[in-house]
Amino acid sequence: MFQVNNLCFKYPKNKENTIKNVSFEIKEGEVFGLLGPSGVGKSTTQKILIKLLTNYQGEVLYKNKDLKSYNKQFYQEIGVGFEMPVHFSKLTANENLSFFKKLYKSNANTDELLQQVGLYEDRNKLVNEFSKGMKARLNFVRALINQPKILFLDEPTNGLDPKNARNIKEMIKNFQREGGTVLLTTHLMNDVDELCDRVAFMADGNIAEIDTPKNLKLKHGERKVEVEYKEGKEILKTSFDLDTLSKNDEFTSVVKTKEIVTIHSKETTLDDIFIKVTGVESDE
Amino acid sequence: MSNFLVLFAGELQRMKKYHILGASFVIAFLWIGVLHLTQIENVSNIFPLLLFLDATSMSILMIGVTMFFEKQEGSMKSLLVSPIGKIEYILAKTGANIVSNLITLLLLFSYAKMFKAIDIHLLWLILAVILISFFHSLLGFVLTYYSKDFTQLLMAMMKYTFVFIIPVLLEQIGLITSDWMTKLLYAIPTKASMTLLNASVGTVETWEIILSLLYLLIISIGVFVIVVRKYDEFALKESGV
């Protein structure tokens, strides 16, 4: 859907490029995660893809056509969910959505969307009476009002309680099941694990790693199995090589003769990969 | 221009909800109060003066207020990723501003017609207010582009008032009489605005009307081009860069 080749971008006031020769692809129907600490160029990349920044070098193709050749009608096809509030605060949720809906040729059923995110009962409240989480959910609905083909989501579950975060994630999965493509930017690695088909880790304006979460875990993880078992009153822990597990007599003996407390394969987490690849804690 | 009407209606709705139209009505009633308290029975000559203040300074201010609300609330970002053209956006804002100025004009005119004597060419006055309000709304865009916050916009507006509005007012009420000063005033757009408003009362020479009309039309087109061109730069800045 998007093909990015040798993308470079420099802000007018900066000395060096914020984006340094980045290439990647977002395939149709996938959820693609763009990850990395603040200031590495994630937002800039997203702004280029949504045509807010145009004076870049390199090539960005959308549906095999130069992104620069698209006019404002490009926005008929995309939905952008910002992290910060983006609504008229002295209008109700319904008034906001009605206004924005009229700008698009295709419209989603906003009552249904409001019900799904749990805001239907509050639809006639002024947005300035909304909590942070309610505003975030309204942002998500705003991104979907034109039945977009591609969704750009920036921290869509930030500030949401677990129940509402779950709802939003389910809606993203449904969007994908119906053929939609998603570019997700987030610091929450649980969301990435749950939603993303492929992820790109950005560091210092470059893409440091790009692959499926599973492949990245295999690449960066240890191929070991860790077993905790009871030995009298004590709990002992030992680890075995995953690749030779079936031939490992000690492992077979422990499993057969001991009372197992826990048994885990030592896959790494995306949090660990984030720190390893970018050198920064993910919750910064 | 497919979304112009949606944006225009949205502007009017927000001007109402954010009490900007309300504030505009308060100003209109203030002018009505001035008309009411004046001892003059025929208000034709002071009528252009009141509309002058409304169509110039209020137009600049109202564009600034609505745009700063959009910046502050982030709704500008939402507009930037909507299928709307910058010319549609600029014209919708300007159009809503003109409507507000025309409401003030009609309120004042209705009062004057009912309670005082007035002898003006209403259609000409409407056209003059549209042109003056259009130009000053565009000026509101330019000042907003270059103002970091609302206070800075107010400061810029104060400077404009001192340099361009007050001298014309002083000339209109007869406090500036020197010939060279009067000639100098022809160089500024507010003098052309005042001349066009005065023309509705019929006290202006034809050459002055033509000159003022051409001047305002040309300068409006020039400022419109600047507003459209600088919009992208402004939008880039407002998108968080």
Side-chain angles (χ1 to χ4, degrees):
Chain A
M1 196 149 214
F2 269 104
Q3 181 70 51
V4 178
N5 299 321
N6 309 317
L7 181 68
C8 294
F9 182 82
K10 187 167 93 69
Y11 287 111
K13 287 177 186 171
N14 287 7
K15 280 182 185 162
E16 61 175 285
N17 283 353
T18 302
I19 305 290
K20 300 165 184 166
N21 212 28
V22 160
S23 299
F24 66 95
E25 182 192 6
I26 303 175
K27 293 173 188 161
E28 193 165 352
E30 78 173 340
V31 179
F32 185 84
L34 197 56
L35 318 172
S38 307
V40 292
K42 298 188 308 285
S43 300
T44 304
T45 307
Q46 184 166 327
K47 277 177 192 161
I48 289 170
L49 298 187
I50 60 175
K51 277 181 76 69
L52 284 181
L53 297 175
T54 50
N55 53 335
Y56 54 84
Q57 279 104 50
E59 185 183 48
V60 181
L61 302 176
Y62 173 64
K63 290 181 173 174
N64 297 320
K65 240 176 91 182
D66 188 354
L67 186 64
K68 285 180 180 168
S69 69
Y70 287 87
N71 60 14
K72 283 275 170 183
Q73 293 308 310
F74 169 71
Y75 294 113
Q76 295 282 2
E77 296 192 5
I78 71 161
V80 184
F82 292 98
E83 186 188 2
M84 305 304 282
V86 289
H87 288 96
F88 298 107
S89 67
K90 290 191 181 177
L91 266 60
T92 65
N94 238 349
E95 285 169 340
N96 266 287
L97 295 175
S98 304
F99 168 70
F100 284 112
K101 264 172 88 171
K102 286 177 200 153
L103 299 172
Y104 295 95
K105 288 175 190 161
S106 171
N107 284 163
N109 182 340
T110 42
D111 280 352
E112 213 172 85
L113 290 171
L114 286 169
Q115 266 162 353
Q116 284 174 13
V117 300
L119 285 178
Y120 185 72
E121 302 301 322
D122 302 297
R123 68 192 184 283
N124 292 320
K125 266 190 192 169
L126 294 178
V127 170
N128 63 13
E129 293 169 18
F130 275 23
S131 67
K132 190 186 168 197
M134 289 164 88
K135 285 177 184 168
R137 284 181 275 155
L138 187 62
N139 278 2
F140 185 69
V141 173
R142 158 72 183 94
L144 290 169
I145 55 169
N146 56 325
Q147 297 181 308
K149 291 189 172 73
I150 179 161
L151 258 183
F152 294 85
L153 299 174
D154 190 7
E155 308 283 359
T157 61
N158 198 14
L160 299 186
D161 60 67
K163 182 178 167 278
N164 282 311
R166 163 81 23 230
N167 270 348
I168 297 290
K169 283 187 267 189
E170 279 308 316
M171 288 175 77
I172 295 171
K173 284 179 191 168
N174 284 340
F175 177 78
Q176 186 192 17
R177 271 194 285 270
E178 285 161 18
T181 307
V182 182
L183 175 73
L184 178 70
T185 312
T186 182
H187 284 119
L188 302 172
M189 293 301 129
N190 280 343
D191 287 2
V192 175
D193 235 344
E194 228 175 296
L195 295 169
C196 292
D197 298 305
R198 287 191 312 132
V199 293
F201 283 97
M202 287 192 78
D204 192 27
N206 293 296
I207 289 188
E209 280 283 8
I210 184 165
D211 211 332
T212 64
K214 194 180 174 184
N215 284 348
L216 286 172
K217 284 179 195 172
L218 289 173
K219 182 179 171 187
H220 291 274
E222 290 177 82
R223 294 196 52 78
K224 280 186 178 168
V225 173
E226 197 172 82
V227 182
E228 279 184 305
Y229 59 93
K230 281 188 179 170
E231 185 73 73
K233 285 181 182 175
E234 274 184 290
I235 292 178
L236 300 178
K237 189 160 55 173
T238 181
S239 60
F240 305 95
D241 185 53
L242 190 62
D243 295 318
T244 55
L245 206 57
S246 59
K247 294 167 195 158
N248 192 318
D249 293 338
E250 192 192 347
F251 173 76
T252 313
S253 161
V254 167
V255 171
K256 276 184 178 168
T257 60
K258 308 290 180 190
E259 188 184 339
I260 306 292
V261 179
T262 62
I263 181 163
H264 293 293
S265 61
K266 285 293 285 175
E267 274 182 327
T268 190
T269 63
L270 283 174
D271 269 323
D272 294 331
I273 301 170
F274 187 105
I275 295 164
K276 191 174 166 187
V277 168
T278 67
V280 185
E281 298 283 337
S282 65
D283 60 348
E284 72 169 66
Chain B
M1 301 296 276
S2 57
N3 276 325
F4 169 75
L5 287 177
V6 178
L7 290 170
F8 177 68
E11 281 297 328
L12 289 177
Q13 181 197 32
R14 291 194 295 280
M15 279 170 84
K16 182 172 164 266
K17 291 270 180 174
Y18 283 75
H19 307 298
I20 296 167
L21 271 184
S24 173
F25 288 153
V26 169
I27 305 271
F29 285 112
L30 195 77
W31 299 140
I32 287 174
V34 171
L35 286 180
H36 186 76
L37 292 173
T38 183
Q39 300 296 312
I40 311 160
E41 190 51 34
N42 191 324
V43 293
S44 304
N45 285 327
I46 61 165
F47 207 74
L49 194 72
L50 300 183
L51 290 174
F52 172 74
L53 290 168
D54 202 65
T56 54
S57 52
M58 281 299 284
S59 296
I60 297 175
L61 191 64
M62 281 208 273
I63 289 288
V65 168
T66 56
M67 286 184 80
F68 274 108
F69 269 129
E70 285 171 14
K71 277 167 79 167
Q72 210 176 336
E73 296 183 339
S75 47
M76 192 167 272
K77 283 184 187 170
S78 203
L79 288 166
L80 286 172
V81 294
S82 301
I84 55 171
K86 52 188 169 185
I87 292 178
E88 284 177 323
Y89 174 82
I90 292 161
L91 289 181
K93 268 205 178 316
T94 311
N97 226 359
I98 291 171
V99 166
S100 161
N101 286 132
L102 290 178
I103 290 172
T104 304
L105 161 62
L106 294 176
L107 282 173
L108 285 175
F109 183 76
S110 304
Y111 172 82
K113 246 330 192 202
M114 281 190 275
F115 301 103
K116 298 271 182 180
I118 187 160
D119 183 22
I120 56 163
H121 194 303
L122 184 62
L123 185 63
W124 175 260
L125 196 59
I126 288 173
L127 293 173
V129 166
I130 289 173
L131 182 58
I132 298 162
S133 175
F134 178 67
F135 169 70
H136 283 87
S137 298
L138 293 174
L139 217 53
F141 274 98
V142 175
L143 296 184
T144 308
Y145 287 175
Y146 291 102
S147 303
K148 278 183 191 155
D149 50 36
F150 192 63
T151 314
Q152 223 176 57
L153 174 77
L154 283 180
M155 291 306 291
M157 218 192 95
M158 290 295 283
K159 285 176 195 164
Y160 184 80
T161 304
F162 276 110
V163 179
F164 295 109
I165 295 181
I166 289 178
V168 176
L169 280 177
L170 294 176
E171 196 223 7
Q172 177 78 3
I173 58 173
L175 288 178
I176 288 178
T177 49
S178 93
D179 200 33
W180 71 268
M181 190 67 180
T182 306
K183 279 180 185 158
L184 194 68
L185 286 179
Y186 279 111
I188 61 174
T190 38
K191 169 67 181 169
S193 306
M194 193 76 244
T195 305
L196 290 183
L197 291 170
N198 282 335
S200 67
V201 197
T203 56
V204 187
E205 298 280 338
T206 312
W207 69 265
E208 266 192 296
I209 297 172
I210 294 168
L211 193 72
S212 302
L213 193 61
L214 283 175
Y215 180 72
L216 266 191
L217 278 172
I218 292 166
I219 200 168
S220 295
I221 292 166
V223 178
F224 182 73
V225 171
I226 294 170
V227 170
V228 172
R229 280 192 184 162
K230 289 276 173 189
Y231 181 81
D232 286 336
E233 205 178 291
F234 173 73
L236 180 80
K237 200 170 69 185
E238 290 320 309
S239 72
V241 180

